[in-house]
Amino acid sequence: MLNQHKILRVLQLISLLQKEPAKSIRFMSGFIESTERTVYRYLDLIKELGFDLQRDSFNRYFIVSDSENLETEFTSEEAHFLKELVLTAGKNNKLKDALLKKIYLKSEITIQGNHLLNAHLGKVVSDLSKAITEKKQVLLKKYQSANSNTISDRLVEPISFTDNYSSLCAYEVETGENKYFNMERMALVEVLQKQYQHEDQHQFDKPDAFGFTNSNGLPFDIHIKLNLRAFVLLKQEYPLVVPFVKQEAKTSHYILKMTINNPKPVIRFVLGILDEVEVIGSVAFKDYLKNFVINTLENNKNDFDN
């Protein structure tokens, strides 16, 4: 995982240095929670990758934007390896240097820069990566659960990150279940000295773009037309749907077609901007959506009458 930590910090520095104003060595070392000596090594690596790294009269560093001269479109091979790069740190792959040079010049990519740039999340990712490597239990301090609407500490055995580090798959000791924990809802991560106790029960099912796995049940094929505003909102809330969205020829509309593992997040999104989307299919999903609306209205009516 040492290579993974290095890549995460280099990505943080690249994004940081591309934003004004220029940054001092001391500021950067505090930002990535490392030594000034390490920052200098990372800056040398950034220069080797081809970035135009400059220093101002106050000994502060910045990256000169040269987006017009750089090839910013990813090849299919590079796009595939982009996931593997951060998740598995494939240091020997020849595509690595080209990808690191382009990664923050392309907005619609699998790994979202905001997650890596955020200093708090970067520290959380680093601590959890260490725990996974050393097979140690972790206490998720003051975790905010959207399902139970509670804030509590969770004792878990971390297993793996989902794409773009948005969630952690971990075995929860209290419930005996493998769950997905949203990274942004973790106030603090405490790596314990206790080793894994339930590794034989660990299971990682890759979630869909909306965060649900096959074990969640209720799979549906969906086919939805969105206007530009709806597409932008969808992309912001669920960035992993981007590869499944195509712009409709000769129109300003976008088409989302994919298989999902659970209809709940899609239904919430659709009902939130109903006048800006059109649910085309599948028939099964349209029927489920219709019944969901009818049952919800009926339950609300009963509650009001009572």
Side-chain angles (χ1 to χ4, degrees), residues 136-177:
K136 289 185 176 179
Q137 292 186 344
V138 168
L139 194 62
L140 306 181
K141 306 280 286 186
K142 297 181 180 179
Y143 181 77
Q144 304 173 33
S145 173
N147 292 326
S148 61
N149 196 28
T150 60
I151 299 177
S152 60
D153 295 347
R154 305 292 187 93
L155 177 62
V156 303
E157 296 180 355
I159 301 172
S160 180
F161 298 104
T162 61
D163 288 349
N164 86 339
Y165 291 88
S166 61
S167 298
L168 170 74
C169 176
Y171 176 85
E172 187 176 41
V173 175
E174 182 179 359
T175 61
E177 298 178 357

Side-chain angles (χ1 to χ4, degrees), residues 14-210:
I14 290 173
S15 182
L16 183 68
L17 291 167
Q18 287 180 327
K19 301 178 184 298
E20 296 181 351
K23 311 299 187 299
S24 68
I25 295 295
R26 183 177 180 181
F27 177 86
M28 288 185 282
S29 66
F31 184 81
I32 65 172
E33 297 185 343
S34 188
T35 65
E36 293 186 5
R37 183 178 178 180
T38 298
V39 171
Y40 278 115
R41 290 203 305 268
Y42 289 166
L43 293 181
D44 288 339
L45 176 58
I46 290 171
K47 286 190 287 187
E48 291 176 8
L49 293 173
F51 287 94
D52 189 1
L53 183 65
Q54 299 291 331
R55 184 173 55 182
D56 65 16
S57 58
F58 298 98
N59 203 33
R60 296 176 302 189
Y61 290 80
F62 61 97
I63 290 177
V64 178
S65 176
D66 191 23
S67 58
E68 293 182 357
N69 297 324
L70 286 175
E71 178 188 356
T72 60
E73 291 297 323
F74 289 108
T75 66
S76 59
E77 292 83 5
E78 289 174 338
H80 172 74
F81 179 64
L82 184 58
K83 297 180 182 179
E84 304 300 322
L85 176 66
V86 177
L87 298 178
T88 63
K91 63 179 180 179
N92 295 321
N93 193 299
K94 295 181 180 179
L95 294 173
K96 183 187 68 174
D97 289 350
L99 280 171
L100 283 176
K101 187 173 182 179
K102 295 175 182 178
I103 190 169
Y104 277 99
L105 297 176
K106 187 71 173 177
S107 58
E108 294 179 0
I109 55 179
T110 302
I111 298 176
Q112 299 299 309
N114 289 337
H115 287 285
L116 300 180
L117 178 60
N118 185 293
H120 167 69
L121 291 181
K123 178 65 165 54
V124 169
V125 168
S126 179
D127 289 343
L128 290 173
S129 296
K130 180 180 179 182
I132 293 171
T133 300
E134 298 178 354
K135 296 186 176 183
K136 289 185 176 179
Q137 292 186 344
V138 168
L139 194 62
L140 306 181
K141 306 280 286 186
K142 297 181 180 179
Y143 181 77
Q144 304 173 33
S145 173
N147 292 326
S148 61
N149 196 28
T150 60
I151 299 177
S152 60
D153 295 347
R154 305 292 187 93
L155 177 62
V156 303
E157 296 180 355
I159 301 172
S160 180
F161 298 104
T162 61
D163 288 349
N164 86 339
Y165 291 88
S166 61
S167 298
L168 170 74
C169 176
Y171 176 85
E172 187 176 41
V173 175
E174 182 179 359
T175 61
E177 298 178 357
N178 293 289
K179 296 183 177 181
Y180 291 83
F181 298 90
N182 189 299
M183 299 292 292
E184 294 185 344
R185 295 175 187 159
M186 301 177 189
L188 184 67
V189 169
E190 180 182 348
V191 180
L192 307 178
Q193 293 304 312
K194 192 172 184 179
Q195 299 293 127
Y196 284 173
Q197 302 294 309
H198 311 277
E199 190 171 3
D200 60 328
Q201 299 182 53
H202 290 189
Q203 183 177 345
F204 175 63
D205 295 323
K206 186 175 180 180
D208 61 20
F210 292 91

Side-chain angles (χ1 to χ4, degrees), residues 217-254:
L218 290 178
F220 285 98
D221 291 326
I222 60 171
H223 183 183
I224 300 173
K225 180 186 291 189
L226 312 95
N227 64 15
L228 177 59
R229 179 175 179 275
F231 170 59
V232 170
L233 292 174
L234 179 67
K235 182 173 63 172
Q236 289 176 344
E237 187 170 358
Y238 302 103
L240 296 182
V241 304
V242 170
F244 303 96
V245 179
K246 304 294 182 184
Q247 185 168 9
E248 194 174 47
K250 299 181 180 180
T251 74
S252 59
H253 288 93
Y254 295 81

Side-chain angles (χ1 to χ4, degrees), residues 197-300:
Q197 302 294 309
H198 311 277
E199 190 171 3
D200 60 328
Q201 299 182 53
H202 290 189
Q203 183 177 345
F204 175 63
D205 295 323
K206 186 175 180 180
D208 61 20
F210 292 91
F212 284 85
T213 67
N214 289 327
S215 61
N216 297 124
L218 290 178
F220 285 98
D221 291 326
I222 60 171
H223 183 183
I224 300 173
K225 180 186 291 189
L226 312 95
N227 64 15
L228 177 59
R229 179 175 179 275
F231 170 59
V232 170
L233 292 174
L234 179 67
K235 182 173 63 172
Q236 289 176 344
E237 187 170 358
Y238 302 103
L240 296 182
V241 304
V242 170
F244 303 96
V245 179
K246 304 294 182 184
Q247 185 168 9
E248 194 174 47
K250 299 181 180 180
T251 74
S252 59
H253 288 93
Y254 295 81
I255 301 297
L256 169 65
K257 292 186 70 173
M258 63 181 298
T259 299
I260 58 174
N261 293 321
N262 192 294
K264 290 183 179 179
V266 182
I267 288 176
R268 285 196 297 267
F269 178 81
V270 168
L271 294 181
I273 51 172
L274 198 56
D275 58 336
E276 300 183 69
V277 299
E278 178 186 352
V279 178
I280 301 173
S282 63
V283 173
F285 179 72
K286 292 178 70 174
D287 289 343
Y288 186 92
L289 175 61
K290 179 180 178 181
N291 291 330
F292 176 87
V293 173
I294 292 174
N295 291 334
T296 300
L297 291 175
E298 184 64 28
N299 290 337
N300 288 339

